[in-house]
């Protein structure tokens, strides 16, 4: 069925709707540059209510399987592709991309001029968009400032959940965590307790963790300013690692600043240099916001990782405390796994500071 992608700047693009949903879908439009990994992208809570346009033209060619989900359901508001209705082929495939999205009422629009759309986003920035069957559909407003609070409550666990039985105990603060982060911790032999994003310091302390990990999640970190005092207390008391949103919240908690990027980084092919080792990693990324580097000058944080392409901050380390962060995703999925060694670094940091709480509390 002929349908349309509408951008807040007034542009309209025609395409074919491959799913049966007829309700207009709205959200911030962003683009993803990876050739594979669409299943992980669809189920990553960080994409909550965003319309994702895939730059690689053949999306859906290996179907959907039962093992590559990052959460229990897709979180995107809509999907834009050039070719998404081909016959899929993979030994693990259970159903097609269109069938999966149709099950959840998420529109899949194909045969859109994705190159033209991405050029608009790169020039004018991420913006509100809509998928509709009405060519004259109008988007109210032109901004893209979603309310994060409802998103976090929708993607975070509402109860404490435990995984694993032995090993170092890590509390995973859930702002919308990817399953691959949990899997990476379990692969290090950890016992993991997933807790709601607003769990208090006293509640975390009662769990007696050896370390704390602040997860990824959707939206603007500044809409969680009310959590910063609690988070600073937690990450100042336990060896801590922050990923994506967790990285941004760590920067804010110690006095830094964050700002929105023009169109963000999303893809499985982003080069990052580790300033500590001078090694370059290819990384998986998904973020609209960045840490403002000049704001770090009066904080105890220093840059450890930097984006090779545009020089933006990709990770931090505390000058005194056992705390480090990454803006990118060391758990990958989708993407290269070379930076997964950072989970070993996290374990080593926990071991180094084991029993030394009074030194850094």
């Amino acid at each position: 069925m002929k349908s349309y992608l509408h951008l807040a700047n007034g542009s309209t693009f025609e395409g074919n709707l491959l799913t049966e949903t007829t309700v207009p879908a709205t959200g911030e439009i962003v683009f993803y540059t990876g050739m594979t990994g669409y299943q992980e992208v669809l189920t990553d809570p960080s994409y909550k209510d965003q319309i994702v346009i895939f730059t690689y033209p053949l999306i859906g060619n290996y179907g959907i399987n039962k093992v590559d989900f990052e959460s229990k359901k897709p979180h995107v508001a809509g999907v834009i592709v050039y070719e998404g209705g081909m016959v899929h082929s993979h030994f693990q495939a259970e159903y097609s991309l269109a069938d999966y999205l149709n099950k959840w009422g998420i529109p899949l629009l194909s045969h859109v001029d994705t190159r033209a759309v991405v050029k608009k986003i790169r020039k004018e920035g991420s913006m509100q968009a809509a998928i509709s069957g009405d060519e004259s559909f109008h988007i109210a407003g032109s901004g893209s400032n979603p309310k994060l609070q409802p998103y976090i409550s929708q993607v975070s666990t509402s109860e404490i959940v435990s995984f694993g039985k032995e090993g170092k105990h890590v509390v995973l603060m859930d702002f919308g965590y990817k399953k691959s982060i949990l899997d990476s911790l379990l692969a290090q032999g950890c016992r993991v307790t997933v807790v709601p994003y607003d769990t208090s310091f006293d509640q975390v302390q009662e769990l007696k963790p050896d370390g704390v990990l602040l997860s990824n999640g959707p939206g603007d970190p500044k809409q969680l300013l009310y959590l910063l005092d609690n988070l600073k207390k937690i990450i100042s008391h336990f060896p801590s690692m922050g990923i994506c949103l967790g990285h941004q919240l760590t920067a804010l908690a110690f006095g830094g600043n964050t700002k929105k990027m023009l169109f963000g980084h999303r893809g499985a092919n982003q080069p990052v240099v580790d300033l500590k080792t001078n090694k370059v990693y290819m990384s998986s990324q998904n973020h609209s916001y960045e840490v403002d580097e000049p704001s770090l000058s009066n904080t105890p944080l220093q840059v450890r990782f930097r984006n090779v392409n545009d020089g933006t901050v990709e990770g931090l380390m505390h000058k005194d405390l056992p705390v480090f962060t990454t803006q990118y995703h060391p758990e990958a999925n989708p993407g290269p796994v070379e930076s997964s060694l950072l989970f070993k670094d996290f374990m080593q940091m926990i071991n180094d500071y084991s029993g030394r709480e009074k030194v850094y509390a």
Side-chain angles (χ1 to χ4, degrees):
M1 182 176 71
K2 184 181 294 186
S3 293
Y4 304 89
L5 169 66
H6 308 276
L7 303 184
N9 66 0
S11 302
T12 296
F13 299 85
E14 182 179 306
N16 296 324
L17 192 65
L18 299 183
T19 47
E20 297 175 4
T21 179
T22 57
V23 179
T26 60
E28 181 185 38
I29 189 165
V30 299
F31 63 89
Y32 175 82
T33 60
M35 295 175 63
T36 61
Y38 54 81
Q39 181 171 338
E40 293 91 332
V41 168
L42 300 177
T43 55
D44 181 348
S46 296
Y47 284 97
K48 179 67 177 174
D49 287 354
Q50 290 180 322
I51 295 175
V52 180
I53 181 167
F54 289 89
T55 61
Y56 183 64
L58 303 178
I59 299 297
N61 51 339
Y62 55 85
I64 298 288
N65 61 56
K66 291 184 177 180
V67 297
D68 288 328
F69 293 118
E70 290 294 347
S71 61
K72 295 180 180 180
K73 64 179 183 179
H75 295 279
V76 297
V79 178
I80 309 294
V81 298
Y82 178 73
E83 176 63 70
M86 76 288 291
V87 176
H88 61 271
S89 177
H90 193 276
F91 75 98
Q92 289 179 315
E94 298 287 335
Y95 28 79
S96 71
L97 173 63
D99 287 342
Y100 176 67
L101 293 175
N102 194 59
K103 172 186 175 183
W104 293 96
I106 297 172
L108 171 61
L109 191 62
S110 73
H111 290 290
V112 175
D113 187 345
T114 54
R115 183 183 294 271
V117 179
V118 170
K119 283 185 175 180
K120 293 281 187 182
I121 298 172
R122 285 180 59 87
K123 181 179 180 180
E124 301 181 38
S126 299
M127 64 189 80
Q128 288 297 105
I131 300 172
S132 170
D134 180 4
E135 187 174 5
S136 60
F137 185 88
H138 176 70
I139 300 175
S142 59
S144 58
N145 186 27
K147 294 181 179 179
L148 179 59
Q149 172 63 22
Y151 286 179
I152 292 294
S153 63
Q154 290 172 33
V155 300
S156 177
T157 183
S158 59
E159 58 185 6
I160 295 176
V161 186
S162 297
F163 300 87
K165 297 181 179 180
E166 299 178 349
K168 294 295 183 180
H169 182 204
V170 174
V171 164
L172 173 55
M173 299 199 71
D174 178 18
F175 298 94
Y177 83 94
K178 294 170 59 181
K179 179 177 175 291
S180 293
I181 293 177
L182 172 62
D183 291 342
S184 296
L185 292 172
L186 294 175
Q188 294 297 321
C190 295
R191 176 167 60 94
V192 181
T193 301
V194 180
V195 302
Y197 67 98
D198 56 355
T199 301
S200 70
F201 168 76
D202 290 339
Q203 290 172 309
V204 171
Q205 193 171 39
E206 288 177 4
L207 294 171
K208 298 180 179 179
D210 296 298
V212 173
L213 192 150
L214 307 187
S215 83
N216 62 295
D220 184 348
K222 286 186 178 178
Q223 291 178 305
L224 292 175
L225 293 178
Y226 67 98
L227 295 176
L228 294 185
D229 288 344
N230 181 61
L231 291 177
K232 183 178 180 180
K233 194 172 183 180
I234 291 172
I235 60 182
S236 295
H237 192 82
F238 302 101
S240 299
M241 178 179 181
I243 296 176
C244 204
L245 179 61
H247 153 80
Q248 297 161 6
L249 290 172
T250 299
L252 290 172
F254 284 109
N257 189 31
T258 58
K259 61 183 181 180
K260 198 171 193 297
M261 306 174 76
L262 183 63
F263 50 82
H265 295 161
R266 292 175 184 84
N269 45 14
Q270 303 279 342
V272 169
V273 59
D274 183 346
L275 301 180
K276 188 176 179 179
T277 64
N278 210 33
K279 291 183 178 180
V280 174
Y281 301 95
M282 295 304 292
S283 69
S284 178
Q285 299 192 19
N286 168 27
H287 62 102
S288 296
Y289 295 82
E290 63 172 313
V291 171
D292 185 19
E293 186 169 354
S295 73
L296 300 175
S297 59
N298 295 319
T299 75
L301 300 173
Q302 59 188 33
V303 178
R304 175 175 171 181
F305 301 99
R306 189 180 299 282
N307 191 289
V308 174
N309 288 334
D310 61 12
T312 53
V313 177
E314 291 287 357
L316 303 166
M317 59 188 299
H318 197 285
K319 296 175 183 177
D320 303 306
L321 302 180
V323 176
F324 78 94
T325 69
T326 65
Q327 177 65 81
Y328 61 98
H329 287 265
E331 79 284 357
N333 286 40
V337 298
E338 53 201 76
S339 57
S340 62
L341 291 174
L342 291 177
F343 288 100
K344 290 186 177 180
D345 290 351
F346 182 38
M347 292 302 103
Q348 186 61 54
M349 187 172 71
I350 288 175
N351 289 329
D352 290 345
Y353 283 86
S354 179
R356 295 176 60 187
E357 288 83 1
K358 292 182 179 181
V359 174
Y360 57 87

